[in-house]
Amino acid sequence: MHPTPLQRALAEAPDTARAQAARPEEEFFIFTLGPLTMAVTSQHVREVTRLTQPTPLPRAPSFLVGVVGSRGQVLPVVDLLRFLQQGEAKVLGGARMFIGESSGLIVGFVADQVVGLRRIFVADKLPPPAGGLAASEFLSGLVQHRELGTLSLIDLPKVMHAARALVVRR
Amino acid sequence: MSERAELVIFEIAGRRFGADMTQVRRIDRLDVAASVGAPLGRVHEGRRALVFSPDGERELHLAIDAVAGVQAVSSDELRRLPTAVGPSPLVIGAWLDRDAPVLLIDLYATQTSTAPEGHHA
């Protein structure tokens, strides 16, 4: 007796749901600074806190706005707008600081507003704009986000290590 | 028991700094001829100076606006500069006054320094 179509289909049926084609995504920490909305991979962000007025360091490059105390630790604070040569951050009362961590380096970064965490499909990442802008070197890409507009994806470890190299070289 | 040290806390252009008490000979009127310049920023008033002597003979003056006092601190309250900032001969660390870092200055290193750069000038 020949099996019916249903019996054939049942014979081929898997025991569990087949995995759908994976669409890789990454989690980003998103914040605004000046006119830009920036995103950094969340694995490099340790903490977000209110930014107290930094203590300026003599002879420091302009992107290093100073040091602050945080949980008994002294942390350098970087203005990403200055570092990327995109203007300068205004450290106002409501400013925030997120603490980035990479290979033993711990650095605070100024943020105007914290948007939060978002998952972004890797396939949605566009390459950084060409043209030799200083900022492009530290961008891992751009994303056109339906809700948030253009996101600049910052390569935070690269920024931290380049910033340190610039500071130490002085 | 933690080490203790005494800091001279002083102000330049509205910012507080600390120096090792043992480096300070006295606080005196500024002698411009002996001044080390403005390595920590330009003073507002600048009529007073921390007087120090790296070699024990020649006296040098660091112009300041005011002395905020002498502070005894324990090593628990002191911090080295963060790795990301790197070593600096001028700023040797910080005293955490609650959560506000007060930069600790090696007065002897000010004699070879120049005016601060960037937005701190």
Side-chain angles (χ1 to χ4, degrees):
Chain A
M1 193 171 155
H2 294 290
T4 65
L6 176 59
Q7 286 171 327
R8 286 199 299 272
L10 280 172
E12 287 180 10
D15 291 331
T16 58
R18 286 192 181 99
Q20 291 186 331
R23 198 176 173 204
E25 54 184 18
E26 283 180 274
E27 188 178 60
F28 283 85
F29 170 77
I30 300 176
F31 60 98
T32 64
L33 184 59
L36 300 179
T37 304
M38 303 191 200
V40 298
T41 51
S42 61
Q43 66 182 20
H44 294 114
V45 178
R46 189 171 83 170
E47 186 181 349
V48 182
T49 180
R50 187 176 294 278
L51 177 62
T52 55
Q53 190 64 41
T55 300
L57 286 163
R59 292 196 237 165
S62 64
F63 64 77
L64 182 59
V65 294
V67 291
V68 294
S70 174
R71 297 180 189 271
Q73 201 171 8
V74 175
L75 299 178
V77 182
V78 165
D79 172 359
L80 271 172
L81 285 184
R82 283 182 189 261
F83 183 81
L84 300 173
Q85 298 174 25
Q86 300 291 307
E88 68 180 85
K90 303 208 170 7
V91 181
L92 302 173
R96 300 280 167 171
M97 174 179 77
F98 72 88
I99 300 173
E101 195 168 18
S102 172
S103 306
L105 289 181
I106 302 173
V107 176
F109 291 90
V110 181
D112 288 336
Q113 285 187 316
V114 170
V115 176
L117 297 173
R118 295 283 191 284
R119 300 194 76 83
I120 290 172
F121 291 118
V122 173
D124 289 346
K125 283 165 67 170
L126 303 170
L133 293 173
S136 301
E137 184 188 344
F138 299 100
L139 289 181
S140 60
L142 297 173
V143 167
Q144 291 298 333
H145 195 277
R146 201 182 309 165
E147 174 196 350
L148 302 169
T150 303
L151 302 181
S152 301
L153 309 183
I154 307 294
D155 185 340
L156 201 64
K158 192 171 183 183
V159 168
M160 291 168 72
H161 289 275
R164 181 175 191 272
L166 287 169
V167 172
V168 170
R169 202 179 302 155
R170 298 165 81 92
Chain B
M1 193 170 154
S2 58
E3 275 303 314
R4 294 189 71 80
E6 283 191 315
L7 303 175
V8 177
I9 307 297
F10 58 98
E11 292 179 12
I12 293 177
R15 293 179 188 143
R16 287 191 306 161
F17 298 93
D20 185 344
M21 177 80 160
T22 62
Q23 286 191 337
V24 180
R25 277 198 168 177
R26 64 182 186 280
I27 295 152
D28 207 337
R29 286 175 184 274
L30 174 66
D31 176 358
V32 177
S35 172
V36 293
L40 304 176
R42 301 245 168 257
V43 287
H44 289 155
E45 303 279 335
R47 286 192 282 267
R48 292 189 177 279
L50 299 184
V51 180
F52 59 99
S53 177
D55 59 9
E57 293 177 9
R58 186 174 57 119
E59 289 192 339
L60 297 172
H61 286 215
L62 173 68
I64 61 171
D65 287 319
V67 172
V70 174
Q71 181 76 38
V73 299
S74 74
S75 55
D76 295 339
E77 302 167 75
L78 301 177
R79 298 290 181 274
R80 288 179 290 279
L81 280 186
T83 314
V85 171
S88 160
L90 186 61
V91 182
I92 54 175
W95 165 48
L96 268 182
D97 182 13
R98 297 182 190 88
D99 247 359
V102 175
L103 299 181
L104 303 181
I105 306 302
D106 179 2
L107 290 177
Y108 296 169
T110 61
Q111 62 179 328
T112 54
S113 61
T114 55
E117 296 178 30
H119 67 299
H120 304 305

